[in-house]
């Protein structure tokens, strides 16, 4: 993988690549510093080449207006009317108009690696056969997802795919399908596919064109469960997620076992084969040079509501959000670099109160060490049952000896780990065990994570500041040391400062220089006292319910994607961490959420921002003012609301003459 060091900047010469080729080109060329050459032809035919290094000084996004009913077509598709201005250290400036280019809509027929075609986002069972929606007689068709999510843009050394000049691979996962053709919910009932797209990169323009599509075989991983956010590891693999893990006790603190039964029937052809303990883990996708790929599911990173994880530059330290009510902030430190198959799991404990106005110190509670193989063996060889691991009661026992009272998903439980089962509890009943051990299990939907390497700061999206985070709210407990004075339903982004030399709960020094030692609120949304004229219940000029996060070292920009039921259209934002300016750069179709965010500073000298969306036209109460107007547009654009798009942000130079000396 080609990367740009954090302390180096793109040059104007590199960005001038944009002035050739296609009218819409990828966002930038973030290569390392080079010289800007000026030519002067002399009378005798010789050419002098004086040189001067010209480096990027600032990159500024100009915010677009939110679409309105004055232009309903813009509200019912992906709309980008934002701009990017690049200032150079010689006083010149280059301006670009941004736009959006999809590779496909789910449900489209696209070329596969073998020369035939395949349904984009299509579902297959454990034997690779299409899973067919038979809910409406006479309209049988393969299920396909309307919910593309996490993505990674990856290069592989010596890549070679027939018919592709310069292969670049885009890994895209599909979280779920909202409904069948009869309108019944299909959430969690189908195995999540992950596709590898082979793209052809134009070396002169950076333009990406879809050439091939490949479905990764997930049978060795027992299929995948609700794959949500994703990230790319520093070693060039795709780190997926399995969200809302099934509650093996079926006590209402996770997905119900009835959903597992439906999943099992659709994937294995048998309702009893799927074991809930095989889901809620972290799958890793490796891309091969021929455009194929493989999966490895890691069972030792805790069984939680995994979202978008982030591996630190040491190739060992990984931080994880937990998309859950009464969720925790987790860390995993691998035994070896670039290998997540063994390591130690931690949960954060705030040692003083974390609130809207405080900076809260963290102690990391050591939950235990495991290898992926030994946890997998507990599930699939030993066939361990929930009752083998612990007791979990929903009513207070008469004799409290050995029990610990905990709160998860705003529900009270009394738990007791059975003798010798601490490791199984830590890695298979992670929520219960982390709460029992005193972790600050207070977050409400702690989602995507990312890292600012230069400043040594990690960022986490907290989709809602409510319930267990708010004093006396549902699920709140004083011992968690998370106590906001009032709910902010539109959420926040939290910053975690990092350093080495930290001591864990056992008194041992944590073997990492990338340990979060304190948390603080970076930026919040703003709830409205009453809906505005369009229906927004959160200020449309601020973030609402942040979900995906990615940080660009070169642009010094935190990109924030929304999963909001408070904005009529969800947005993708660019937040400059130096100027503190927040800019709206993309609007998804109304009723959709912004997903698949992936910012790459350099792929063969070009920078990309990848962006998807999910479930367009998924109407909620806030859409009552727009649904009647927008429904026909959504139907026309996205297969009656059954499809969604996968693509990336492009840039069009506004005028070459804008590059001028001051």
């Amino acid at each position: 993988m080609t990367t740009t060091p954090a302390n180096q900047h793109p040059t104007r010469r590199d960005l001038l690549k944009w002035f050739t080729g296609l009218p819409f080109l990828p966002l930038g060329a973030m290569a390392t510093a080079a010289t800007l050459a000026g030519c002067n032809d002399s009378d005798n035919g010789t050419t002098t080449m004086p040189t001067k290094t010209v480096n990027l000084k600032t990159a500024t996004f100009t915010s677009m207006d939110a679409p309105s009913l004055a232009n309903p077509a813009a509200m019912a598709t992906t709309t980008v009317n934002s701009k990017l201005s690049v200032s150079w250290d010689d006083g010149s400036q280059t301006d670009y108009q941004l736009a959006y280019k999809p590779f496909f809509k789910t449900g489209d027929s696209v070329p596969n690696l073998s020369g035939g075609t395949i349904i984009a986002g299509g579902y297959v069972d454990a034997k690779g056969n299409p899973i067919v929606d038979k809910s409406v007689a006479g309209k049988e068709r393969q299920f396909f997802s309307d919910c593309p999510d996490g993505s990674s843009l990856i290069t592989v050394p010596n890549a070679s795919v027939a018919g592709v000049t310069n292969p670049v691979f885009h890994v895209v996962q599909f979280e779920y399908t909202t409904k069948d053709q009869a309108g019944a919910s299909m959430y969690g009932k189908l195995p999540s596919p992950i596709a590898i797209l082979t793209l052809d990169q134009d070396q002169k323009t950076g333009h990406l064109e879809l050439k091939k599509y490949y479905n990764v075989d997930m049978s060795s991983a027992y299929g995948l469960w609700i794959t949500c956010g994703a990230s790319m590891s520093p070693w060039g693999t795709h780190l997926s997620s399995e969200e809302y893990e099934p509650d093996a006790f079926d006590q209402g603190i996770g997905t119900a076992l009835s959903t597992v039964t439906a999943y099992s029937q659709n994937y294995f052809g048998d309702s009893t084969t799927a074991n809930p303990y095989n889901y809620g883990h972290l799958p890793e996708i490796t891309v091969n040079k021929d455009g194929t790929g493989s999966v490895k599911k890691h069972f030792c990173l805790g069984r939680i509501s995994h979202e978008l994880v982030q591996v630190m530059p040491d190739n060992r330290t990984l931080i994880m959000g937990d998309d859950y009510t009464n969720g925790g902030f987790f860390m995993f430190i691998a035994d070896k670099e670039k290998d997540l198959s063994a390591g130690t799991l931690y949960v954060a404990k705030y040692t003083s109160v974390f609130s809207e106005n405080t900076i809260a110190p963290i102690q990391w509670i050591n939950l235990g060490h495991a290898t992926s193989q030994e946890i997998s063996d507990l599930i699939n060889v030993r066939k361990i049952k929930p009752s083998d691991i612990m007791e979990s009661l929903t009513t207070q026992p008469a004799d409290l000896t050995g029990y610990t009272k905990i709160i998860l998903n705003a529900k009270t439980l009394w738990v007791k780990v059975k003798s010798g089962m601490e490791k199984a509890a830590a890695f298979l009943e992670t929520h219960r065990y982390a709460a029992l051990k005193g972790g600050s299990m207070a977050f409400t939907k702690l989602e995507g994570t990312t890292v600012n390497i230069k400043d040594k700061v990690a960022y986490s999206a907290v989709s809602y500041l409510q319930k267990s985070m708010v004093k006396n709210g549902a699920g709140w407990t004083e011992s968690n040391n998370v106590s906001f004075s009032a709910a902010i339903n539109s959420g926040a982004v939290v910053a975690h400062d990092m350093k080495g030399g930290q001591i864990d709960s056992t008194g041992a020094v944590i073997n990492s220089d990338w340990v979060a030692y304190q948390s603080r609120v970076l930026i919040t949304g703003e709830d409205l006292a009453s809906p505005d004229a369009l229906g927004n219940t959160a200020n449309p000029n601020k973030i609402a319910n942040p979900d995906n996060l990615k940080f660009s070292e070169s642009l010094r920009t935190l990109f924030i994607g929304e999963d909001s039921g408070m904005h009529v259209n969800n947005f993708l934002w660019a937040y400059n961490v130096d100027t503190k300016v927040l800019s709206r750069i993309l609007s998804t179709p109304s009723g959709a959420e912004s997903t698949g965010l992936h910012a790459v500073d350099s792929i063969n000298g070009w920078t990309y921002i990848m962006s998807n969306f999910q479930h367009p036209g998924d109407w909620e109460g806030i859409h009552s003012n727009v649904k009647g107007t927008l429904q026909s547009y959504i139907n026309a654009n996205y297969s009656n609301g059954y499809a969604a798009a996968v693509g990336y942000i492009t840039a069009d130079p506004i005028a070459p003459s804008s590059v001028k000396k001051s």
Side-chain angles (χ1 to χ4, degrees), residues 361-508:
I362 295 172
Q363 182 187 44
W364 287 97
I365 296 176
N366 187 325
L367 297 179
H369 177 279
T371 68
S372 181
Q373 189 62 56
E374 63 184 321
I375 302 304
S376 177
D377 286 348
L378 282 176
I379 305 165
N380 300 298
V381 178
R382 183 171 168 177
K383 307 291 185 182
I384 197 167
K385 304 295 183 185
S387 57
D388 298 331
I389 300 172
M390 60 168 53
E391 292 182 52
S392 180
L393 307 179
T394 57
T395 58
Q396 181 175 319
D399 181 359
L400 289 172
T401 304
Y403 286 93
T404 301
K405 179 182 176 181
I406 64 173
I407 300 176
L408 295 172
N409 199 23
K411 299 177 184 296
T412 302
L413 300 173
W414 288 263
V415 297
K416 180 197 291 187
V417 178
K418 296 196 172 179
S419 178
M421 300 305 292
E422 289 79 10
K423 181 173 289 190
F427 292 92
L428 292 178
E429 290 293 342
T430 308
H431 278 137
R432 289 176 170 88
Y433 192 68
L436 180 154
K437 296 292 284 185
S440 291
M441 302 295 286
F443 285 103
T444 47
K445 294 178 72 66
L446 185 67
E447 306 213 35
T449 55
T450 191
V451 64
N452 171 347
I453 296 171
K454 179 182 177 182
D455 297 340
K456 220 162 186 179
V457 177
Y459 305 105
S460 294
V462 185
S463 200
Y464 299 86
L465 291 172
Q466 61 178 15
K467 296 182 180 178
S468 55
M469 296 186 72
V470 179
K471 187 173 183 178
N472 297 321
W476 179 84
T477 179
E478 187 173 14
S479 61
N480 277 330
N481 269 339
V482 176
S483 190
F484 285 72
S485 62
I488 304 175
N489 294 315
S490 48
V493 175
V494 170
H496 313 285
D497 301 308
M498 298 183 292
K499 64 181 179 180
Q502 299 303 292
I503 308 298
D504 73 13
S505 58
T506 71

